[in-house]
Amino acid sequence: MAKAKQAQKWQRDPEGMRLRILEAAKQEFSAHGLAGARVDRIAAKAGANKRMLYYHVGNKDELYLAVLEGAYDKIRSEERGLDLEHLDPPEAIRRLIEFTWNYFLRNPEFLSLLQTENLARAKHLKKSTKVKSMHSPFVEMIRTVVRRGVDSGDFQVAVDPVQLYISIAGLCFFYLSNSATLSVIFGRDLLDKKAKDERLAHMVGLVLAALTGQSVALIEIAKAPKSRAAVAQTV
Amino acid sequence: MAKAKQAQKWQRDPEGMRLRILEAAKQEFSAHGLAGARVDRIAAKAGANKRMLYYHVGNKDELYLAVLEGAYDKIRSEERGLDLEHLDPPEAIRRLIEFTWNYFLRNPEFLSLLQTENLARAKHLKKSTKVKSMHSPFVEMIRTVVRRGVDSGDFQVAVDPVQLYISIAGLCFFYLSNSATLSVIFGRDLLDKKAKDERLAHMVGLVLAALTGQSVALIEIAKAPKSRAAVAQTV
DNA sequence: GGAGAAATTAACCCGTTGGATAAATACTGT
DNA sequence: ACAGTATTTATCCAACGGGTTAATTTCTCC
């Protein structure tokens, strides 16, 4: 048995163990939801023992909350790196949409976790002390962009930054988190490369057109020849 | 015990029983998800016996699928009554948004069910033969509206009806289905009357502005008199 | 009014699951 | 090298949950 050798690899490594547990838990919770998640599977996936979860993190609920907090922590910290301040307003909005879209694409477990937590009506999140304090300065970042856009004349109207953010997140989130049922309903694969490119173009066009009033590059549906066209068309 | 009397009320009523079971199951599944739902609770809520579920519908999965199909059936049939054909395009879009928004508000279990099913990557829905055939002529309805809008000059650009529908649904869906976590994050109650009114106005403004290019009535944040600032300002 | 089918109930079965107990093993400082 | 602590493992179990078996009641139609 190579067991001995393997075991050696991470014997007595509390930090690493905790991380592996959280990672495995993230996978499990996002794949099966809170009730569907199996503690033993998490343990197995983490190369650990069930008892370890309780030792290092706590019971199932605490484990779940830890995963959730970690997920929020991650996106908030990436958001902080966006520095929309130095872009001209329309470009800043475009970048915000692209970031959100790509983040959701890169982190599908994040979407699942949010869905799971919302099905529970945020019961667990409400208990979190950490998350509340994260209240990212993100909203202010957006508010500033909007204000600058209005001042410069790029935007025709001042939008509530929270509404705008929810709209952008919603456009991205719904498409991705519901792609499974939508694909069945509409009979198209919404996750192939072409479809995703089109979606991004559509969203950027929609939001920018609404803000600037220029339907330039609005919605690209005027499909071109064979290429993914998807491009817009100035009207 | 009034038990005897009560029991009399719906003794031997297969149709009614099936309906009560499905209704109870809808509640349970939307409240707890598939894995979290408890067959016994459904039975109790339906005023039935656990065995009855298996007798009338089948096992837990079949029950779940039946609920899901019922939910889709309901929204599709209501959608058919929209007759957007007789409205001028911008008005038709406004009505579509309002319908979607109100339907989601009136049927929160529908949102939960969709979330649940998407967490399962539509595993069950794919097995449904019924749902696929429902592929509502809804998309065509929207396509027609868009085409008319372009022809009349109301809309500046032709949008893919599926993208448009997903955008509208997404704007409504995300706000409502994620209101629990969003409320925590942003520290506002997103479900009070005022917030909901603002949201509807925002969405209508956003979509219509994008389509027509008229930012008129874009984002209505130009709230009235005494209400708490946060208001917009037409620029 | 009674035979047979349909509907309903009560009781049980048995694998699973979250969690707990206690023992073993590795590491630390002295 | 040894006492004490931190980490890990091997088992156990009581509760629960989905599903089944078999008996009971109610209806229907003759």
Side-chain angles (χ1 to χ4, degrees), chain B residues 12-13 49 52 55-56:
Chain B
R12 225 85 224 293
D13 176 12
N49 177 317
M52 304 278 287
Y55 182 76
H56 285 284

Side-chain angles (χ1 to χ4, degrees), chain A residues 141-161:
Chain A
M141 204 159 148
I142 299 175
R143 187 188 308 278
T144 306
V145 171
V146 170
R147 192 167 290 151
R148 280 174 43 229
V150 171
D151 290 346
S152 70
D154 283 321
F155 297 164
Q156 306 204 317
V157 117
V159 199
D160 175 3

Side-chain angles (χ1 to χ4, degrees), chain A residues 111-119 173 177-178, chain B residues 115 118-119:
Chain A
L111 301 186
S112 299
L113 289 173
L114 282 194
Q115 268 178 299
T116 295
E117 180 59 6
N118 275 292
L119 280 174
F173 190 101
S177 75
N178 288 47
Chain B
Q115 268 177 299
N118 275 293
L119 281 174

Side-chain angles (χ1 to χ4, degrees), chain A residues 12-14 51-52 55-56:
Chain A
R12 225 85 223 293
D13 176 12
R51 181 65 183 79
M52 303 279 288
Y55 182 77
H56 286 284

